[in-house]
Amino acid sequence: MNYIKMWIAVCALFLCLCEDTKAQHANEVNIKSTVLDAKGQPISSALIAGNEGKTTVFTDAAGHFSINVAAHSVVMINAKGFKMQSLRAGAVPESIVLAGEGGNNEVNVPYNKVDKQDLPGTITVLNPGTFINRDYNLTVQDALNGRAAGLLWSNNIWGMENAIVMIDGVRRDFNDVTLNEVQQITVLKGVNAVALYGSQAAKGVILITTKKGEANTHKVNLRVNTGIATPKALPKFLNSSDYMTLYNEARRNDGLGDMYDATTIQNYQTGNPYRFPSVDYYSSPYLKKYLNTTNTNAEFSGGNNTARFYSNIGWSNSSTLLNIGEGKNEGDNRFNIRGNIDLKLNDNISSTIDISTIFNDSRRGRTNYWGNAATLLPQRFTPLIPLSLISGSDATSQGYIKANRNIINGQYLLGGTQQYATNPIADLYFGGYDKFVQRSFQVTNAINVNLKNLLQGLSFHTLFNIDYANAYTQSISNTYAIYAPTWSTSSDSVASLTKYGTDYHSGTQNISGTAQMQNIGFSSWLNYEKSINEAHHFSVTLLGHASSIKTNDIYQPTTNSHVGLQLSYNYKHKYWADFSGAYVNSTKLPQGHRAALSPTASLGWLLSSEKFLSGSKVVDYLKLSASAGILNTDLDISGFYLYDNVYNRGATFNWNDGVQAGNQTSFPAYGSNPDLAFPKRKEVNASLEGAFFKHLLTLQTTFFWNEMDGLLTQRFSLYPTYFNAFVPYSNYNANGRSGVDIMLNVNKKIGELDLNLGVNATYATSKVTKSDGLYADAYQSRIGKPVDAIFGLQSKGFFADQSDIDKSPKQLFGVVKPGDIKYVDQNGDGIIDQRDFVMIGRYVAPFSYGITFNATYKNFNLFLLGTGNNGGYGLKNNDYYWVFGDKKYSQVVLNRWTPATKETATFPRLSSQQNNNDFRSSDFWLYKTDRFNLQKIQLTYNVSGNVLRKTFVKELGVYVSGSNLFTFSRNREILDLNIGTAPQFRNYMVGLRAGF
């Protein structure tokens, strides 16, 4: 509540500052003008706003308009596809020329804003305002999907993983902002692009800048979306009778007798389902066909030349698939409020105050439903016992019924057994619930001082943030009784009930899992910019930064501190040179090695300005840039005091003298290394950016090579095994990455039809260049292989019979029988063991891509997004595929090996024992993850401005969309399936947006 009060107080202060003390309507003037494009063609339906947005008109077909505004007002001219322009009422010309949105614009980079033409090539810029209305996404991650070259997924740039997220210059998280709040996303990839953010930025940065209010306007935007989500795939397990049949087969394969006789199997196939249960936890009684999702958003912005504001209020809600008991109440709620205020304190000092608060609640039943659904055998117990089947002559049973408060729908008692005294269905009905509550409050303050009176072009800036987040779980925990039925021998009725457990509803709410986080940071920097004869442009930035993120129960905070320097020069925006470096510090390293210099440099050349290209009819724009550098980072240092001798506490003991008891042993964890230093990211990259055929085709591509050198490892290969506990950490391992990313866009207008095709692709490979380890066989060395390499055995089919086993190399993983997997003896020593493991694949696909297509015809817009990847592999190694012992049988076992199916089988023989031979890492379980996803389709209709001209609504659009729609892959059934967790979903949504 204190956070909310602070936010209200700041807003109240802002309203006071925004209040114009002068009469708004005094000395009104009439303004008439014509709005044109760069070619002199009139722009119709352009919005003309004055009196801080309170007075609006639209241009007619000839581009003319007439508006009455206060003499001191600012007139805003805004048209779709053009940059907004603002003019003083007394300085509006007879014709106004608007520049297209495709022109150069400002881009947010570390501690500065630069013109897009001055960007190095290893930066990708996305402006959500240009696509959110035709491709609406609630989250920033979904918006990035398939749009940013070099970004493999989420925060994985060039395969390095763990790129940090900076929101308004502060290290935060994707979940701290929605796409509705975002003005710009800058993906910083190369070493030169991220250097000023210091050690924390060595894996790349995703810089998110939130929206600001615009002077002399008042805008209100509303958006409502609602829809459903349906499961893409659900696991398919065998029913009780089929399980029993195959389990008998598994026992026979192991030389054991059948567990289930034919009568029992028949009863479970055709008998009373309460007496002979075959529970399908994925069926309609327990699951809904779809879940519901809704999100709404409201934006308010405006202000004047002294104070501007932007406010965002959002709410989102989703249910779950569970359809019984507490499952019907499950859901996720998110409520967010943001207020960004910009203040002009005087001609030289301005400040911004950004405040955001988020309330998250997630309610779940006190059970692991999806985990239990994937493991509980279908015949173990009947979850519900109909009252109608319970004998009325058994007094004890009738007493249970009369005294029971947990009768479901007036018809059922909870079923179970002594072994299964709790189960997921009973848990959902009467086990209670957990409510995970999370709150966050974030404040960012920037102060900007123009020091032109001291030196023209000099400015001073500060950035301060303080973030708080807390989380806890509210629980109502109940116990309940279950009843094990004893069935009549003469009829399908329950002769008696045995009760296990007690019904107890305390009504007491418990609080557990409390966590707090505090993030405090401060940056300050001097910036100097100087231009000489409009040809030589210089820029210098000198900065300092310090931040600390503290979490409860963790003694050491995550700290980051550094000083940085940037020296930039360009000649007529034709040649560029930049030095960016940081002197970084880390408390994870020993004294004397806690600071290091991270230097980077970049060069750029605008080839299209040279004589040999200036007259080209093909090349409109062509720019070449390159950068290189070394970044010192502690991101890959997993803990503190890794440089010191560390001992752990061991068992207690007593001396035999009886004098002192409870003595405790100590044992070493690792030895010390006073020379431990920073791992380093070393990189060289080159980029090409261009536009061709009158901007029909635009291109941006980057070639990169980098190496993470000096990664920490314990070099056990240098010491005898008895010394392992004393081996220190050292900077030895190294991983290299190289590849290319490309963004390609084709734009074409045919009459009233606007077409755009975009392709973003990344090819990134990794290689272990240095690794400690001793291997008897060279093929097992990790050096030269991908960082994400998969090692396992090579299979060569199934053993056909005992003769085949006898003449094959001996496999040491367990007893081998016909139908078991046969492996390749890699070193020819006549046995199959760990020395026969080889590289069989890699997890991460080296090639990933996204394809966007957009078609606009009059007021209709069609958007499509496809994403894909090639070259990766996965292992089918969860309980759905590794079926042995008494595990639940999935449909994959249907094509198991038997003497009759030995030629066509795709699954090894069934076994009721622990089968260590078959169920281990091997290419038998390997599958390709190559896929193309039809990720998004959205059809939008925008109501014409002519229709809205006489209404208070300035913009209105409706749309329908579907996302995560279909996977095209030979292994689609594997890729679409989740085991032990909630399923993947197809999402269908209808939305409405309006601007006022």
Side-chain angles (χ1 to χ4, degrees), residues 194-216:
V194 303
L196 294 184
Y197 279 140
S199 170
Q200 61 183 343
K203 303 295 183 70
V205 177
I206 299 171
L207 176 59
I208 298 172
T209 304
T210 58
K211 294 177 180 177
K212 299 291 186 180
E214 296 173 356
N216 304 301

Side-chain angles (χ1 to χ4, degrees), residues 628-648:
I630 299 173
L631 299 180
N632 292 278
T633 178
D634 63 358
L635 288 178
D636 291 307
I637 302 178
S638 59
F640 294 86
Y641 304 108
L642 297 183
Y643 55 84
D644 209 348
N645 290 303
V646 171
Y647 291 82
N648 294 324

Side-chain angles (χ1 to χ4, degrees), residues 243 246-259 813-817 820 882-889 907-919:
Y243 170 82
L246 294 188
Y247 190 72
N248 281 345
E249 178 185 312
R251 287 178 60 85
R252 291 194 296 270
N253 288 340
D254 297 325
L256 304 173
D258 289 355
M259 177 171 287
F813 306 116
V815 177
V816 178
K817 294 190 174 185
D820 283 332
W882 282 13
V883 182
F884 56 86
D886 61 354
K887 290 185 177 182
K888 195 170 186 177
Y889 282 10
F907 193 86
R909 71 175 179 94
L910 297 179
S911 174
S912 62
Q913 307 298 308
Q914 180 80 26
N915 191 333
N916 291 323
N917 181 82
D918 293 345
F919 301 103

Side-chain angles (χ1 to χ4, degrees), residues 60 63 103-104 134 164 320 382 497 540 676 717 762 924 974 995:
D60 59 20
N104 293 327
R134 64 174 182 259
I164 63 169
T320 73
T382 181
L497 294 172
V540 180
L676 201 65
S717 64
T762 303
F924 181 87
I974 301 173

Side-chain angles (χ1 to χ4, degrees), residues 227-243:
I228 63 172
T230 61
K232 294 185 73 174
L234 292 172
K236 297 178 181 178
F237 291 98
L238 303 190
N239 60 33
S240 295
S241 59
D242 289 341
Y243 170 82

Side-chain angles (χ1 to χ4, degrees), residues 585-852:
N585 178 77
S586 175
T587 56
K588 294 180 178 180
L589 293 170
Q591 293 285 350
H593 295 274
R594 291 185 172 179
L597 177 64
S598 297
T600 72
S602 71
L603 298 171
W605 177 22
L606 186 62
L607 284 81
S608 54
S609 66
E610 301 292 350
K611 292 183 179 180
F612 58 84
L613 282 179
S614 59
S616 174
K617 296 181 179 180
V618 175
V619 178
D620 307 312
Y621 179 83
L622 192 63
K623 178 182 176 182
L624 176 66
S625 59
S627 66
I630 299 173
L631 299 180
N632 292 278
T633 178
D634 63 358
L635 288 178
D636 291 307
I637 302 178
S638 59
F640 294 86
Y641 304 108
L642 297 183
Y643 55 84
D644 209 348
N645 290 303
V646 171
Y647 291 82
N648 294 324
R649 292 180 178 179
T652 59
F653 67 94
N654 298 326
W655 291 105
N656 201 27
D657 57 10
V659 176
Q660 186 176 356
N663 298 282
Q664 193 166 35
T665 63
S666 297
F667 61 93
Y670 47 81
S672 67
N673 179 2
D675 295 321
L676 201 65
F678 284 97
K680 303 177 188 298
R681 173 184 170 184
K682 304 174 180 178
E683 181 173 288
V684 175
N685 61 66
S687 300
L688 187 68
E689 184 179 359
F692 309 91
F693 305 106
K694 298 182 179 180
H695 289 271
L696 172 69
L697 177 69
T698 60
L699 167 74
Q700 183 181 12
T701 184
T702 299
F703 300 86
F704 65 90
W705 173 91
N706 66 45
E707 183 180 59
M708 288 299 301
D709 192 15
L711 296 171
L712 270 61
T713 188
Q714 290 176 275
R715 300 198 62 190
F716 295 108
S717 64
L718 300 180
Y719 302 90
T721 55
Y722 59 79
F723 202 74
N724 282 355
F726 297 94
V727 175
Y729 283 93
S730 59
N731 300 99
Y732 182 77
N733 285 359
N735 298 326
R737 288 179 172 83
S738 61
V740 58
D741 66 42
I742 185 171
M743 296 178 66
L744 185 68
N745 282 278
V746 180
N747 305 280
K748 182 67 176 178
K749 185 175 179 65
I750 306 173
E752 294 186 83
L753 179 64
D754 280 321
L755 299 173
N756 173 267
L757 176 66
V759 177
N760 302 293
T762 303
Y763 182 78
T765 62
S766 65
K767 182 172 63 174
V768 177
T769 55
K770 192 186 298 183
S771 176
D772 182 72
L774 294 176
Y775 301 95
D777 303 291
Y779 55 78
Q780 289 194 326
S781 173
R782 271 49 177 174
I783 296 176
K785 297 179 176 64
V787 174
D788 57 322
I790 305 172
F791 279 79
L793 297 164
Q794 285 185 336
S795 61
K796 49 188 301 188
F798 303 114
F799 286 113
D801 48 36
Q802 187 60 44
S803 174
D804 190 10
I805 295 173
D806 293 340
K807 65 184 180 183
S808 298
K810 186 176 182 180
Q811 302 189 175
L812 302 183
F813 306 116
V815 177
V816 178
K817 294 190 174 185
D820 283 332
I821 301 173
K822 185 194 307 185
Y823 300 115
V824 175
D825 182 8
Q826 300 291 344
N827 55 9
D829 63 356
I831 58 174
I832 305 295
D833 57 11
Q834 296 292 334
R835 289 181 59 185
D836 295 296
F837 276 56
V838 296
M839 178 181 161
I840 56 176
R842 57 178 299 172
Y843 285 108
V844 179
F847 180 64
S848 60
Y849 58 94
I851 301 173
T852 61

